[in-house]
Amino acid sequence: MDNQLKIPRHIAFIMDGNGRWASAKGLSRSEGHRQGAEALKVMVDACSEVGIDAVSVYAFSCENWSKRPQAEIKFLFSLITQFAKNELKKYVERGYRIMFSGDLSQLPKTTFKAIQKVVDAAKNNTGVIVNIALNYGGRQEIVRAVNTILQSGLREIDAEMFEDCLYTAALPPLDLIVRSSGEKRLSNFMLWQCAYSELIFVEKNWPDFGKDTLTDILKEYSQRDRRFGGVK
Ligand code: IPE
Ligand code: IPE
Ligand code: MG
């Protein structure tokens, strides 16, 4: 890997295009999701290898529940449960930290249990942070933070206190958001955290992402001039 590259501390992936990847090959959408999970494995390890501190991935949005066929949702959660039991278990062994963003109380029980098990097992790890956004919505996260503040009885807060009430409170600032499949929108992802994130939109569908894709992304990110409101 080119050592001139700038490495973001926190990168996020909006993993989109599994369905289109599958349709283009005459396969079922489920096969697209299965290959999407394979791509996720490769990308997390690649991010850890280059020294990224935190990787967030958008796995299932609050909106996905009502906008997709029941059978697809069922398949997705069985895949996520398997991913937790097999892959996340390996992450625990490799020392990766594991966390989830989103309302986990609404998940199928078997998924919830499998997740809880790995989160618990990883709690003393010190490696890359893998943050999985599941049943997640950026607006919902903001409303949740507001409710936490209201319940505490505070009458006035600042931005730092607000951030402490988000799922990402313990994570470094979100440097870079990458979305696959050519769509150029955030779809309710990390609406607070994206304030100064760089955005990279990649034409490839998520299942086609690999180690080389990360290298291309990091090259592009390295050329960005992040000013945060300053002058150059
Ligand atoms: C992303 O792929 C996976 C999830 C949202 C879980 P899609 O399923 O959205 O794929 P497209 O956008 O239909 O191609
Ligand atoms: C974004 O993909 C959500 C996830 C990757 C989980 P969607 O496919 O659900 O988003 P839209 O419908 O294109 O905005
Ligand atoms: Mg999509």
Side-chain angles (χ1 to χ4, degrees):
M1 180 80 54
D2 185 343
N3 53 18
Q4 298 301 313
L5 288 181
K6 284 187 194 147
I7 304 297
R9 287 190 65 201
H10 182 183
I11 189 170
F13 294 100
I14 301 177
M15 309 184 286
D16 198 12
N18 292 353
R20 277 162 285 164
W21 179 90
S23 316
K25 291 187 150 45
L27 302 169
S28 65
R29 290 183 59 85
S30 298
E31 195 48 42
H33 294 314
R34 213 175 270 130
Q35 287 306 315
E38 293 300 315
L40 176 57
K41 284 190 218 168
V42 174
M43 294 306 283
V44 169
D45 288 340
C47 287
S48 169
E49 268 167 40
V50 298
I52 291 170
D53 295 331
V55 186
S56 292
V57 294
Y58 202 4
F60 195 86
S61 74
C62 298
E63 290 72 29
N64 286 147
W65 291 111
S66 60
K67 303 258 164 71
R68 292 183 183 234
Q70 264 319 111
E72 177 169 348
I73 292 171
K74 208 169 161 217
F75 178 81
L76 276 169
F77 279 101
S78 69
L79 191 66
I80 291 163
T81 311
Q82 284 316 306
F83 196 89
K85 286 183 177 165
N86 303 320
E87 299 318 314
L88 295 185
K89 196 164 162 252
K90 287 183 203 153
Y91 290 178
V92 175
E93 288 155 14
R94 276 180 234 156
Y96 296 179
R97 282 173 278 183
I98 302 168
M99 59 173 272
F100 284 80
S101 294
D103 182 2
L104 303 185
S105 70
Q106 306 297 317
L107 302 184
K109 281 224 159 49
T110 46
T111 309
F112 181 75
K113 278 190 195 146
I115 282 172
Q116 243 187 348
K117 205 170 164 186
V118 285
V119 168
D120 201 45
K123 68 176 186 291
N124 294 321
N125 285 355
T126 55
V128 65
I129 301 168
V130 182
N131 171 36
I132 303 173
L134 193 57
N135 191 19
Y136 172 84
R139 287 177 173 170
Q140 290 83 343
E141 179 183 32
I142 289 169
V143 171
R144 176 180 172 271
V146 170
N147 281 325
T148 306
I149 292 154
L150 290 175
Q151 280 153 19
S152 75
L154 288 169
R155 298 289 302 273
E156 199 179 329
I157 59 151
D158 59 20
E160 223 173 288
M161 289 160 86
F162 188 80
E163 268 174 355
D164 284 343
C165 298
L166 298 174
Y167 293 117
T168 49
L171 299 187
L174 182 52
D175 295 312
L176 173 60
I177 299 176
V178 178
R179 184 167 185 149
S180 56
S181 86
E183 304 295 353
K184 295 172 186 67
R185 56 177 170 267
L186 293 175
S187 302
N188 203 15
F189 185 65
M190 302 247 184
L191 299 184
W192 172 280
Q193 296 88 340
C194 73
Y196 274 102
S197 306
E198 294 298 321
L199 306 173
I200 293 183
F201 299 101
V202 179
E203 290 299 319
K204 272 196 256 188
N205 288 318
W206 177 253
D208 286 327
F209 269 48
K211 242 178 149 165
D212 54 328
T213 323
L214 182 65
T215 309
D216 293 343
I217 288 164
L218 294 178
K219 279 184 189 155
E220 184 168 344
Y221 175 75
S222 301
Q223 281 162 11
R224 298 286 176 91
D225 177 18
R226 302 189 75 196
R227 288 192 292 279
F228 299 97
V231 287
K232 193 69 198 208

